[in-house]
Amino acid sequence: MNVNIIGSRMTHSKESGYVGHVEFQYEGHEAPYEITLHSKNAKDWSYSLLFSKESGSEEDILAVEERLEEDDDFYDLLVNAALQSLPRQEG
């Protein structure tokens, strides 16, 4: 299954840590998704998966959720998309 990244963004603060959002389309699924990512240290991530616009089928979102849990490369792709959008800190 192919994934098309529609958009991503991430912020970082001392208080909140890293908070990222990635909107993506999963091949064969009608509705796009948005994953929200959070980490205090940019290593251990938690996430929340939602439909980004209109709701899709429960079967579809459960399939994506299962893939996120089982496929580290898929999960890393989404985390890296968010990290790449992190504004560079000028030092």
Side-chain angles (χ1 to χ4, degrees), residues 6-7 9 20-26 29-37 46-58 60-62 64-66 68 74 78:
I6 298 168
R9 63 191 185 284
H21 303 274
V22 180
E23 186 178 1
F24 64 97
Q25 182 70 44
Y26 196 83
H29 293 201
E30 298 244 349
Y33 299 92
E34 180 171 339
I35 188 170
T36 300
L37 301 155
S46 61
Y47 73 90
S48 175
L49 180 67
L50 303 167
F51 291 107
S52 67
K53 300 196 182 344
E54 70 280 347
S55 292
S57 78
E58 182 177 358
D60 283 353
I61 201 166
L62 290 174
V64 173
E65 183 86 36
E66 182 176 339
L68 284 167
F74 176 54
L78 298 174

PDB file of all heavy atoms in Angstrom, residues 6-7 9 20-26 29-37 46-58 60-62 64-66 68 74 78:
ATOM      1  N   ILE A   6       0.113  14.561   2.355  1.00  0.00           N
ATOM      2  CA  ILE A   6      -0.546  15.767   1.865  1.00  0.00           C
ATOM      3  C   ILE A   6       0.087  17.003   2.487  1.00  0.00           C
ATOM      4  O   ILE A   6       0.304  18.010   1.825  1.00  0.00           O
ATOM      5  CB  ILE A   6      -2.062  15.711   2.165  1.00  0.00           C
ATOM      6  CG1 ILE A   6      -2.687  14.516   1.437  1.00  0.00           C
ATOM      7  CG2 ILE A   6      -2.742  17.013   1.774  1.00  0.00           C
ATOM      8  CD1 ILE A   6      -4.089  14.182   1.881  1.00  0.00           C
ATOM      9  N   GLY A   7       0.392  16.929   3.766  1.00  0.00           N
ATOM     10  CA  GLY A   7       1.003  18.064   4.451  1.00  0.00           C
ATOM     11  C   GLY A   7       1.474  17.646   5.829  1.00  0.00           C
ATOM     12  O   GLY A   7       1.002  16.655   6.381  1.00  0.00           O
ATOM     13  N   ARG A   9       3.370  19.351   9.699  1.00  0.00           N
ATOM     14  CA  ARG A   9       3.888  20.474  10.475  1.00  0.00           C
ATOM     15  C   ARG A   9       4.279  19.956  11.854  1.00  0.00           C
ATOM     16  O   ARG A   9       3.747  18.962  12.329  1.00  0.00           O
ATOM     17  CB  ARG A   9       2.874  21.604  10.573  1.00  0.00           C
ATOM     18  CG  ARG A   9       1.600  21.256  11.295  1.00  0.00           C
ATOM     19  CD  ARG A   9       0.545  22.354  11.115  1.00  0.00           C
ATOM     20  NE  ARG A   9      -0.653  22.097  11.888  1.00  0.00           N
ATOM     21  CZ  ARG A   9      -1.594  21.221  11.575  1.00  0.00           C
ATOM     22  NH1 ARG A   9      -1.487  20.498  10.476  1.00  0.00           N
ATOM     23  NH2 ARG A   9      -2.661  21.069  12.343  1.00  0.00           N
ATOM     24  N   GLY A  20       3.487  17.161  16.439  1.00  0.00           N
ATOM     25  CA  GLY A  20       3.436  17.172  14.987  1.00  0.00           C
ATOM     26  C   GLY A  20       2.107  16.678  14.457  1.00  0.00           C
ATOM     27  O   GLY A  20       1.374  15.953  15.142  1.00  0.00           O
ATOM     28  N   HIS A  21       1.808  17.092  13.233  1.00  0.00           N
ATOM     29  CA  HIS A  21       0.592  16.667  12.537  1.00  0.00           C
ATOM     30  C   HIS A  21       0.982  16.305  11.117  1.00  0.00           C
ATOM     31  O   HIS A  21       1.701  17.065  10.461  1.00  0.00           O
ATOM     32  CB  HIS A  21      -0.436  17.798  12.492  1.00  0.00           C
ATOM     33  CG  HIS A  21      -0.798  18.324  13.836  1.00  0.00           C
ATOM     34  ND1 HIS A  21      -1.774  17.763  14.611  1.00  0.00           N
ATOM     35  CD2 HIS A  21      -0.295  19.354  14.556  1.00  0.00           C
ATOM     36  CE1 HIS A  21      -1.861  18.425  15.754  1.00  0.00           C
ATOM     37  NE2 HIS A  21      -0.965  19.403  15.736  1.00  0.00           N
ATOM     38  N   VAL A  22       0.506  15.161  10.651  1.00  0.00           N
ATOM     39  CA  VAL A  22       0.737  14.759   9.272  1.00  0.00           C
ATOM     40  C   VAL A  22      -0.608  14.354   8.673  1.00  0.00           C
ATOM     41  O   VAL A  22      -1.313  13.502   9.217  1.00  0.00           O
ATOM     42  CB  VAL A  22       1.721  13.572   9.167  1.00  0.00           C
ATOM     43  CG1 VAL A  22       1.928  13.178   7.707  1.00  0.00           C
ATOM     44  CG2 VAL A  22       3.051  13.917   9.824  1.00  0.00           C
ATOM     45  N   GLU A  23      -0.957  14.997   7.574  1.00  0.00           N
ATOM     46  CA  GLU A  23      -2.152  14.620   6.822  1.00  0.00           C
ATOM     47  C   GLU A  23      -1.689  13.745   5.662  1.00  0.00           C
ATOM     48  O   GLU A  23      -0.742  14.085   4.961  1.00  0.00           O
ATOM     49  CB  GLU A  23      -2.888  15.855   6.307  1.00  0.00           C
ATOM     50  CG  GLU A  23      -4.202  15.520   5.646  1.00  0.00           C
ATOM     51  CD  GLU A  23      -4.969  16.748   5.182  1.00  0.00           C
ATOM     52  OE1 GLU A  23      -4.482  17.883   5.352  1.00  0.00           O
ATOM     53  OE2 GLU A  23      -6.062  16.554   4.622  1.00  0.00           O
ATOM     54  N   PHE A  24      -2.365  12.609   5.492  1.00  0.00           N
ATOM     55  CA  PHE A  24      -1.951  11.692   4.433  1.00  0.00           C
ATOM     56  C   PHE A  24      -3.139  10.942   3.857  1.00  0.00           C
ATOM     57  O   PHE A  24      -4.184  10.802   4.490  1.00  0.00           O
ATOM     58  CB  PHE A  24      -0.894  10.705   4.944  1.00  0.00           C
ATOM     59  CG  PHE A  24      -1.358   9.764   6.028  1.00  0.00           C
ATOM     60  CD1 PHE A  24      -1.784   8.476   5.719  1.00  0.00           C
ATOM     61  CD2 PHE A  24      -1.354  10.152   7.353  1.00  0.00           C
ATOM     62  CE1 PHE A  24      -2.201   7.611   6.717  1.00  0.00           C
ATOM     63  CE2 PHE A  24      -1.761   9.291   8.359  1.00  0.00           C
ATOM     64  CZ  PHE A  24      -2.191   8.011   8.036  1.00  0.00           C
ATOM     65  N   GLN A  25      -2.946  10.498   2.630  1.00  0.00           N
ATOM     66  CA  GLN A  25      -3.932   9.666   1.934  1.00  0.00           C
ATOM     67  C   GLN A  25      -3.356   8.264   1.843  1.00  0.00           C
ATOM     68  O   GLN A  25      -2.205   8.091   1.433  1.00  0.00           O
ATOM     69  CB  GLN A  25      -4.217  10.215   0.525  1.00  0.00           C
ATOM     70  CG  GLN A  25      -5.260   9.443  -0.237  1.00  0.00           C
ATOM     71  CD  GLN A  25      -6.653   9.625   0.338  1.00  0.00           C
ATOM     72  OE1 GLN A  25      -7.056  10.729   0.670  1.00  0.00           O
ATOM     73  NE2 GLN A  25      -7.383   8.540   0.469  1.00  0.00           N
ATOM     74  N   TYR A  26      -4.128   7.297   2.258  1.00  0.00           N
ATOM     75  CA  TYR A  26      -3.714   5.896   2.213  1.00  0.00           C
ATOM     76  C   TYR A  26      -4.337   5.270   0.975  1.00  0.00           C
ATOM     77  O   TYR A  26      -5.549   5.376   0.773  1.00  0.00           O
ATOM     78  CB  TYR A  26      -4.204   5.201   3.491  1.00  0.00           C
ATOM     79  CG  TYR A  26      -3.565   3.880   3.786  1.00  0.00           C
ATOM     80  CD1 TYR A  26      -2.338   3.809   4.421  1.00  0.00           C
ATOM     81  CD2 TYR A  26      -4.199   2.693   3.451  1.00  0.00           C
ATOM     82  CE1 TYR A  26      -1.753   2.599   4.728  1.00  0.00           C
ATOM     83  CE2 TYR A  26      -3.620   1.474   3.743  1.00  0.00           C
ATOM     84  CZ  TYR A  26      -2.402   1.435   4.389  1.00  0.00           C
ATOM     85  OH  TYR A  26      -1.824   0.227   4.680  1.00  0.00           O
ATOM     86  N   HIS A  29      -8.117   4.013   0.159  1.00  0.00           N
ATOM     87  CA  HIS A  29      -9.068   4.524   1.143  1.00  0.00           C
ATOM     88  C   HIS A  29      -9.611   5.855   0.645  1.00  0.00           C
ATOM     89  O   HIS A  29      -8.859   6.698   0.175  1.00  0.00           O
ATOM     90  CB  HIS A  29      -8.398   4.715   2.501  1.00  0.00           C
ATOM     91  CG  HIS A  29      -7.984   3.426   3.144  1.00  0.00           C
ATOM     92  ND1 HIS A  29      -7.775   3.328   4.500  1.00  0.00           N
ATOM     93  CD2 HIS A  29      -7.766   2.187   2.639  1.00  0.00           C
ATOM     94  CE1 HIS A  29      -7.441   2.074   4.794  1.00  0.00           C
ATOM     95  NE2 HIS A  29      -7.411   1.379   3.669  1.00  0.00           N
ATOM     96  N   GLU A  30     -10.907   6.048   0.790  1.00  0.00           N
ATOM     97  CA  GLU A  30     -11.551   7.264   0.281  1.00  0.00           C
ATOM     98  C   GLU A  30     -11.175   8.509   1.082  1.00  0.00           C
ATOM     99  O   GLU A  30     -10.890   9.547   0.523  1.00  0.00           O
ATOM    100  CB  GLU A  30     -13.067   7.087   0.305  1.00  0.00           C
ATOM    101  CG  GLU A  30     -13.539   5.950  -0.574  1.00  0.00           C
ATOM    102  CD  GLU A  30     -14.398   6.407  -1.716  1.00  0.00           C
ATOM    103  OE1 GLU A  30     -14.816   7.569  -1.726  1.00  0.00           O
ATOM    104  OE2 GLU A  30     -14.646   5.586  -2.604  1.00  0.00           O
ATOM    105  N   ALA A  31     -11.202   8.410   2.403  1.00  0.00           N
ATOM    106  CA  ALA A  31     -11.007   9.583   3.255  1.00  0.00           C
ATOM    107  C   ALA A  31      -9.545   9.712   3.684  1.00  0.00           C
ATOM    108  O   ALA A  31      -8.916   8.721   4.042  1.00  0.00           O
ATOM    109  CB  ALA A  31     -11.903   9.487   4.484  1.00  0.00           C
ATOM    110  N   PRO A  32      -9.001  10.933   3.649  1.00  0.00           N
ATOM    111  CA  PRO A  32      -7.636  11.145   4.143  1.00  0.00           C
ATOM    112  C   PRO A  32      -7.598  11.114   5.671  1.00  0.00           C
ATOM    113  O   PRO A  32      -8.621  11.278   6.345  1.00  0.00           O
ATOM    114  CB  PRO A  32      -7.267  12.527   3.609  1.00  0.00           C
ATOM    115  CG  PRO A  32      -8.559  13.216   3.368  1.00  0.00           C
ATOM    116  CD  PRO A  32      -9.571  12.153   3.087  1.00  0.00           C
ATOM    117  N   TYR A  33      -6.409  10.930   6.207  1.00  0.00           N
ATOM    118  CA  TYR A  33      -6.186  10.818   7.642  1.00  0.00           C
ATOM    119  C   TYR A  33      -5.291  11.937   8.128  1.00  0.00           C
ATOM    120  O   TYR A  33      -4.537  12.522   7.368  1.00  0.00           O
ATOM    121  CB  TYR A  33      -5.482   9.486   7.973  1.00  0.00           C
ATOM    122  CG  TYR A  33      -6.287   8.290   7.568  1.00  0.00           C
ATOM    123  CD1 TYR A  33      -6.116   7.703   6.322  1.00  0.00           C
ATOM    124  CD2 TYR A  33      -7.219   7.748   8.429  1.00  0.00           C
ATOM    125  CE1 TYR A  33      -6.861   6.601   5.947  1.00  0.00           C
ATOM    126  CE2 TYR A  33      -7.977   6.637   8.068  1.00  0.00           C
ATOM    127  CZ  TYR A  33      -7.792   6.073   6.820  1.00  0.00           C
ATOM    128  OH  TYR A  33      -8.537   4.988   6.451  1.00  0.00           O
ATOM    129  N   GLU A  34      -5.356  12.182   9.441  1.00  0.00           N
ATOM    130  CA  GLU A  34      -4.380  13.043  10.099  1.00  0.00           C
ATOM    131  C   GLU A  34      -3.904  12.310  11.345  1.00  0.00           C
ATOM    132  O   GLU A  34      -4.708  11.816  12.137  1.00  0.00           O
ATOM    133  CB  GLU A  34      -4.958  14.392  10.498  1.00  0.00           C
ATOM    134  CG  GLU A  34      -3.902  15.262  11.170  1.00  0.00           C
ATOM    135  CD  GLU A  34      -4.328  16.692  11.403  1.00  0.00           C
ATOM    136  OE1 GLU A  34      -5.258  17.159  10.740  1.00  0.00           O
ATOM    137  OE2 GLU A  34      -3.708  17.341  12.256  1.00  0.00           O
ATOM    138  N   ILE A  35      -2.592  12.227  11.474  1.00  0.00           N
ATOM    139  CA  ILE A  35      -2.002  11.655  12.675  1.00  0.00           C
ATOM    140  C   ILE A  35      -1.379  12.803  13.450  1.00  0.00           C
ATOM    141  O   ILE A  35      -0.716  13.667  12.877  1.00  0.00           O
ATOM    142  CB  ILE A  35      -0.974  10.554  12.337  1.00  0.00           C
ATOM    143  CG1 ILE A  35      -0.511   9.829  13.612  1.00  0.00           C
ATOM    144  CG2 ILE A  35       0.201  11.091  11.553  1.00  0.00           C
ATOM    145  CD1 ILE A  35       0.307   8.571  13.337  1.00  0.00           C
ATOM    146  N   THR A  36      -1.656  12.836  14.745  1.00  0.00           N
ATOM    147  CA  THR A  36      -1.036  13.795  15.645  1.00  0.00           C
ATOM    148  C   THR A  36       0.003  13.040  16.451  1.00  0.00           C
ATOM    149  O   THR A  36      -0.289  11.979  17.010  1.00  0.00           O
ATOM    150  CB  THR A  36      -2.081  14.430  16.586  1.00  0.00           C
ATOM    151  OG1 THR A  36      -3.057  15.095  15.785  1.00  0.00           O
ATOM    152  CG2 THR A  36      -1.435  15.422  17.532  1.00  0.00           C
ATOM    153  N   LEU A  37       1.211  13.555  16.472  1.00  0.00           N
ATOM    154  CA  LEU A  37       2.344  12.903  17.135  1.00  0.00           C
ATOM    155  C   LEU A  37       2.825  13.762  18.294  1.00  0.00           C
ATOM    156  O   LEU A  37       2.818  14.996  18.201  1.00  0.00           O
ATOM    157  CB  LEU A  37       3.487  12.723  16.130  1.00  0.00           C
ATOM    158  CG  LEU A  37       3.137  11.897  14.898  1.00  0.00           C
ATOM    159  CD1 LEU A  37       4.040  12.259  13.739  1.00  0.00           C
ATOM    160  CD2 LEU A  37       3.226  10.431  15.231  1.00  0.00           C
ATOM    161  N   SER A  46       4.083   9.126  20.892  1.00  0.00           N
ATOM    162  CA  SER A  46       2.708   8.654  20.999  1.00  0.00           C
ATOM    163  C   SER A  46       1.941   9.308  19.850  1.00  0.00           C
ATOM    164  O   SER A  46       2.397  10.284  19.258  1.00  0.00           O
ATOM    165  CB  SER A  46       2.104   9.025  22.350  1.00  0.00           C
ATOM    166  OG  SER A  46       2.084  10.419  22.524  1.00  0.00           O
ATOM    167  N   TYR A  47       0.784   8.746  19.547  1.00  0.00           N
ATOM    168  CA  TYR A  47       0.035   9.296  18.417  1.00  0.00           C
ATOM    169  C   TYR A  47      -1.461   9.146  18.617  1.00  0.00           C
ATOM    170  O   TYR A  47      -1.932   8.354  19.428  1.00  0.00           O
ATOM    171  CB  TYR A  47       0.456   8.627  17.103  1.00  0.00           C
ATOM    172  CG  TYR A  47      -0.044   7.211  16.952  1.00  0.00           C
ATOM    173  CD1 TYR A  47      -1.264   6.941  16.356  1.00  0.00           C
ATOM    174  CD2 TYR A  47       0.705   6.130  17.408  1.00  0.00           C
ATOM    175  CE1 TYR A  47      -1.721   5.643  16.230  1.00  0.00           C
ATOM    176  CE2 TYR A  47       0.261   4.840  17.282  1.00  0.00           C
ATOM    177  CZ  TYR A  47      -0.962   4.602  16.690  1.00  0.00           C
ATOM    178  OH  TYR A  47      -1.427   3.324  16.572  1.00  0.00           O
ATOM    179  N   SER A  48      -2.180   9.912  17.818  1.00  0.00           N
ATOM    180  CA  SER A  48      -3.625   9.822  17.710  1.00  0.00           C
ATOM    181  C   SER A  48      -3.954   9.884  16.227  1.00  0.00           C
ATOM    182  O   SER A  48      -3.458  10.756  15.513  1.00  0.00           O
ATOM    183  CB  SER A  48      -4.279  10.987  18.448  1.00  0.00           C
ATOM    184  OG  SER A  48      -5.674  10.978  18.248  1.00  0.00           O
ATOM    185  N   LEU A  49      -4.779   8.960  15.764  1.00  0.00           N
ATOM    186  CA  LEU A  49      -5.142   8.895  14.347  1.00  0.00           C
ATOM    187  C   LEU A  49      -6.605   9.267  14.183  1.00  0.00           C
ATOM    188  O   LEU A  49      -7.471   8.738  14.888  1.00  0.00           O
ATOM    189  CB  LEU A  49      -4.901   7.482  13.816  1.00  0.00           C
ATOM    190  CG  LEU A  49      -5.221   7.239  12.345  1.00  0.00           C
ATOM    191  CD1 LEU A  49      -4.267   8.020  11.441  1.00  0.00           C
ATOM    192  CD2 LEU A  49      -5.160   5.754  12.022  1.00  0.00           C
ATOM    193  N   LEU A  50      -6.877  10.179  13.248  1.00  0.00           N
ATOM    194  CA  LEU A  50      -8.239  10.629  12.950  1.00  0.00           C
ATOM    195  C   LEU A  50      -8.411  10.751  11.443  1.00  0.00           C
ATOM    196  O   LEU A  50      -7.430  10.847  10.705  1.00  0.00           O
ATOM    197  CB  LEU A  50      -8.485  12.017  13.556  1.00  0.00           C
ATOM    198  CG  LEU A  50      -8.288  12.184  15.049  1.00  0.00           C
ATOM    199  CD1 LEU A  50      -8.268  13.661  15.403  1.00  0.00           C
ATOM    200  CD2 LEU A  50      -9.390  11.474  15.793  1.00  0.00           C
ATOM    201  N   PHE A  51      -9.654  10.806  11.004  1.00  0.00           N
ATOM    202  CA  PHE A  51      -9.913  11.220   9.626  1.00  0.00           C
ATOM    203  C   PHE A  51      -9.703  12.724   9.578  1.00  0.00           C
ATOM    204  O   PHE A  51     -10.109  13.447  10.487  1.00  0.00           O
ATOM    205  CB  PHE A  51     -11.346  10.876   9.206  1.00  0.00           C
ATOM    206  CG  PHE A  51     -11.586   9.400   9.067  1.00  0.00           C
ATOM    207  CD1 PHE A  51     -12.339   8.715   9.998  1.00  0.00           C
ATOM    208  CD2 PHE A  51     -11.047   8.699   7.999  1.00  0.00           C
ATOM    209  CE1 PHE A  51     -12.563   7.361   9.869  1.00  0.00           C
ATOM    210  CE2 PHE A  51     -11.258   7.333   7.863  1.00  0.00           C
ATOM    211  CZ  PHE A  51     -12.016   6.667   8.804  1.00  0.00           C
ATOM    212  N   SER A  52      -9.047  13.213   8.523  1.00  0.00           N
ATOM    213  CA  SER A  52      -8.703  14.638   8.500  1.00  0.00           C
ATOM    214  C   SER A  52      -9.854  15.525   8.047  1.00  0.00           C
ATOM    215  O   SER A  52      -9.904  16.688   8.405  1.00  0.00           O
ATOM    216  CB  SER A  52      -7.473  14.895   7.638  1.00  0.00           C
ATOM    217  OG  SER A  52      -7.746  14.633   6.291  1.00  0.00           O
ATOM    218  N   LYS A  53     -10.762  15.000   7.287  1.00  0.00           N
ATOM    219  CA  LYS A  53     -11.883  15.815   6.811  1.00  0.00           C
ATOM    220  C   LYS A  53     -13.172  15.092   7.175  1.00  0.00           C
ATOM    221  O   LYS A  53     -13.543  15.054   8.327  1.00  0.00           O
ATOM    222  CB  LYS A  53     -11.749  16.066   5.321  1.00  0.00           C
ATOM    223  CG  LYS A  53     -10.453  16.803   4.972  1.00  0.00           C
ATOM    224  CD  LYS A  53     -10.457  17.383   3.620  1.00  0.00           C
ATOM    225  CE  LYS A  53      -9.199  18.080   3.205  1.00  0.00           C
ATOM    226  NZ  LYS A  53      -8.220  18.473   4.151  1.00  0.00           N
ATOM    227  N   GLU A  54     -13.809  14.490   6.225  1.00  0.00           N
ATOM    228  CA  GLU A  54     -15.027  13.741   6.501  1.00  0.00           C
ATOM    229  C   GLU A  54     -14.660  12.340   6.987  1.00  0.00           C
ATOM    230  O   GLU A  54     -13.568  11.860   6.717  1.00  0.00           O
ATOM    231  CB  GLU A  54     -15.915  13.646   5.249  1.00  0.00           C
ATOM    232  CG  GLU A  54     -15.368  12.753   4.147  1.00  0.00           C
ATOM    233  CD  GLU A  54     -14.293  13.386   3.277  1.00  0.00           C
ATOM    234  OE1 GLU A  54     -14.100  14.607   3.328  1.00  0.00           O
ATOM    235  OE2 GLU A  54     -13.643  12.628   2.529  1.00  0.00           O
ATOM    236  N   SER A  55     -15.574  11.741   7.719  1.00  0.00           N
ATOM    237  CA  SER A  55     -15.329  10.395   8.238  1.00  0.00           C
ATOM    238  C   SER A  55     -15.328   9.368   7.111  1.00  0.00           C
ATOM    239  O   SER A  55     -16.079   9.482   6.145  1.00  0.00           O
ATOM    240  CB  SER A  55     -16.402  10.018   9.249  1.00  0.00           C
ATOM    241  OG  SER A  55     -16.283  10.801  10.403  1.00  0.00           O
ATOM    242  N   GLY A  56     -14.500   8.379   7.282  1.00  0.00           N
ATOM    243  CA  GLY A  56     -14.465   7.239   6.386  1.00  0.00           C
ATOM    244  C   GLY A  56     -14.995   6.024   7.121  1.00  0.00           C
ATOM    245  O   GLY A  56     -15.623   6.149   8.177  1.00  0.00           O
ATOM    246  N   SER A  57     -14.690   4.865   6.608  1.00  0.00           N
ATOM    247  CA  SER A  57     -15.218   3.653   7.223  1.00  0.00           C
ATOM    248  C   SER A  57     -14.377   3.241   8.431  1.00  0.00           C
ATOM    249  O   SER A  57     -13.163   3.465   8.479  1.00  0.00           O
ATOM    250  CB  SER A  57     -15.260   2.508   6.209  1.00  0.00           C
ATOM    251  OG  SER A  57     -13.977   1.962   6.020  1.00  0.00           O
ATOM    252  N   GLU A  58     -15.036   2.640   9.395  1.00  0.00           N
ATOM    253  CA  GLU A  58     -14.341   2.146  10.587  1.00  0.00           C
ATOM    254  C   GLU A  58     -13.332   1.067  10.196  1.00  0.00           C
ATOM    255  O   GLU A  58     -12.237   1.002  10.747  1.00  0.00           O
ATOM    256  CB  GLU A  58     -15.352   1.583  11.587  1.00  0.00           C
ATOM    257  CG  GLU A  58     -14.701   1.113  12.862  1.00  0.00           C
ATOM    258  CD  GLU A  58     -15.696   0.624  13.893  1.00  0.00           C
ATOM    259  OE1 GLU A  58     -16.913   0.675  13.651  1.00  0.00           O
ATOM    260  OE2 GLU A  58     -15.238   0.181  14.958  1.00  0.00           O
ATOM    261  N   ASP A  60     -11.580   0.902   7.475  1.00  0.00           N
ATOM    262  CA  ASP A  60     -10.382   1.547   6.918  1.00  0.00           C
ATOM    263  C   ASP A  60      -9.470   2.089   8.012  1.00  0.00           C
ATOM    264  O   ASP A  60      -8.265   1.854   8.003  1.00  0.00           O
ATOM    265  CB  ASP A  60     -10.765   2.687   5.964  1.00  0.00           C
ATOM    266  CG  ASP A  60     -11.225   2.201   4.602  1.00  0.00           C
ATOM    267  OD1 ASP A  60     -11.134   0.987   4.326  1.00  0.00           O
ATOM    268  OD2 ASP A  60     -11.691   3.050   3.813  1.00  0.00           O
ATOM    269  N   ILE A  61     -10.039   2.826   8.973  1.00  0.00           N
ATOM    270  CA  ILE A  61      -9.196   3.426  10.005  1.00  0.00           C
ATOM    271  C   ILE A  61      -8.579   2.346  10.889  1.00  0.00           C
ATOM    272  O   ILE A  61      -7.430   2.459  11.318  1.00  0.00           O
ATOM    273  CB  ILE A  61      -9.929   4.507  10.826  1.00  0.00           C
ATOM    274  CG1 ILE A  61      -8.896   5.426  11.504  1.00  0.00           C
ATOM    275  CG2 ILE A  61     -10.906   3.907  11.818  1.00  0.00           C
ATOM    276  CD1 ILE A  61      -9.457   6.706  12.055  1.00  0.00           C
ATOM    277  N   LEU A  62      -9.295   1.261  11.120  1.00  0.00           N
ATOM    278  CA  LEU A  62      -8.730   0.153  11.898  1.00  0.00           C
ATOM    279  C   LEU A  62      -7.568  -0.505  11.157  1.00  0.00           C
ATOM    280  O   LEU A  62      -6.587  -0.918  11.775  1.00  0.00           O
ATOM    281  CB  LEU A  62      -9.808  -0.867  12.251  1.00  0.00           C
ATOM    282  CG  LEU A  62     -10.845  -0.400  13.271  1.00  0.00           C
ATOM    283  CD1 LEU A  62     -11.945  -1.452  13.438  1.00  0.00           C
ATOM    284  CD2 LEU A  62     -10.209  -0.043  14.596  1.00  0.00           C
ATOM    285  N   VAL A  64      -5.505   1.047   9.040  1.00  0.00           N
ATOM    286  CA  VAL A  64      -4.362   1.961   9.148  1.00  0.00           C
ATOM    287  C   VAL A  64      -3.776   1.891  10.555  1.00  0.00           C
ATOM    288  O   VAL A  64      -2.551   1.855  10.731  1.00  0.00           O
ATOM    289  CB  VAL A  64      -4.763   3.404   8.772  1.00  0.00           C
ATOM    290  CG1 VAL A  64      -3.625   4.376   9.041  1.00  0.00           C
ATOM    291  CG2 VAL A  64      -5.181   3.474   7.307  1.00  0.00           C
ATOM    292  N   GLU A  65      -4.633   1.847  11.554  1.00  0.00           N
ATOM    293  CA  GLU A  65      -4.186   1.735  12.951  1.00  0.00           C
ATOM    294  C   GLU A  65      -3.354   0.465  13.143  1.00  0.00           C
ATOM    295  O   GLU A  65      -2.289   0.492  13.761  1.00  0.00           O
ATOM    296  CB  GLU A  65      -5.410   1.702  13.876  1.00  0.00           C
ATOM    297  CG  GLU A  65      -5.086   1.666  15.331  1.00  0.00           C
ATOM    298  CD  GLU A  65      -4.863   3.032  15.925  1.00  0.00           C
ATOM    299  OE1 GLU A  65      -5.528   3.990  15.527  1.00  0.00           O
ATOM    300  OE2 GLU A  65      -3.992   3.130  16.803  1.00  0.00           O
ATOM    301  N   GLU A  66      -3.810  -0.628  12.582  1.00  0.00           N
ATOM    302  CA  GLU A  66      -3.071  -1.894  12.686  1.00  0.00           C
ATOM    303  C   GLU A  66      -1.710  -1.784  12.013  1.00  0.00           C
ATOM    304  O   GLU A  66      -0.698  -2.245  12.540  1.00  0.00           O
ATOM    305  CB  GLU A  66      -3.881  -3.026  12.064  1.00  0.00           C
ATOM    306  CG  GLU A  66      -3.218  -4.376  12.175  1.00  0.00           C
ATOM    307  CD  GLU A  66      -4.072  -5.504  11.631  1.00  0.00           C
ATOM    308  OE1 GLU A  66      -5.300  -5.350  11.525  1.00  0.00           O
ATOM    309  OE2 GLU A  66      -3.490  -6.547  11.287  1.00  0.00           O
ATOM    310  N   LEU A  68       0.039   0.944  11.582  1.00  0.00           N
ATOM    311  CA  LEU A  68       0.885   1.799  12.423  1.00  0.00           C
ATOM    312  C   LEU A  68       1.513   1.005  13.562  1.00  0.00           C
ATOM    313  O   LEU A  68       2.667   1.217  13.917  1.00  0.00           O
ATOM    314  CB  LEU A  68       0.068   2.953  13.010  1.00  0.00           C
ATOM    315  CG  LEU A  68      -0.256   4.092  12.062  1.00  0.00           C
ATOM    316  CD1 LEU A  68      -1.327   4.989  12.666  1.00  0.00           C
ATOM    317  CD2 LEU A  68       0.988   4.885  11.723  1.00  0.00           C
ATOM    318  N   PHE A  74       6.472   2.322   8.207  1.00  0.00           N
ATOM    319  CA  PHE A  74       5.317   3.182   7.940  1.00  0.00           C
ATOM    320  C   PHE A  74       5.216   4.276   9.011  1.00  0.00           C
ATOM    321  O   PHE A  74       5.073   5.453   8.708  1.00  0.00           O
ATOM    322  CB  PHE A  74       4.047   2.339   7.882  1.00  0.00           C
ATOM    323  CG  PHE A  74       2.770   3.118   7.713  1.00  0.00           C
ATOM    324  CD1 PHE A  74       2.612   4.021   6.679  1.00  0.00           C
ATOM    325  CD2 PHE A  74       1.719   2.927   8.588  1.00  0.00           C
ATOM    326  CE1 PHE A  74       1.429   4.734   6.525  1.00  0.00           C
ATOM    327  CE2 PHE A  74       0.532   3.629   8.441  1.00  0.00           C
ATOM    328  CZ  PHE A  74       0.386   4.529   7.408  1.00  0.00           C
ATOM    329  N   LEU A  78       5.882   8.649   8.738  1.00  0.00           N
ATOM    330  CA  LEU A  78       5.019   9.734   9.200  1.00  0.00           C
ATOM    331  C   LEU A  78       5.734  10.620  10.221  1.00  0.00           C
ATOM    332  O   LEU A  78       5.646  11.849  10.152  1.00  0.00           O
ATOM    333  CB  LEU A  78       3.727   9.155   9.770  1.00  0.00           C
ATOM    334  CG  LEU A  78       2.876   8.363   8.763  1.00  0.00           C
ATOM    335  CD1 LEU A  78       1.695   7.715   9.459  1.00  0.00           C
ATOM    336  CD2 LEU A  78       2.429   9.232   7.606  1.00  0.00           C
TER     337      LEU A  78
END
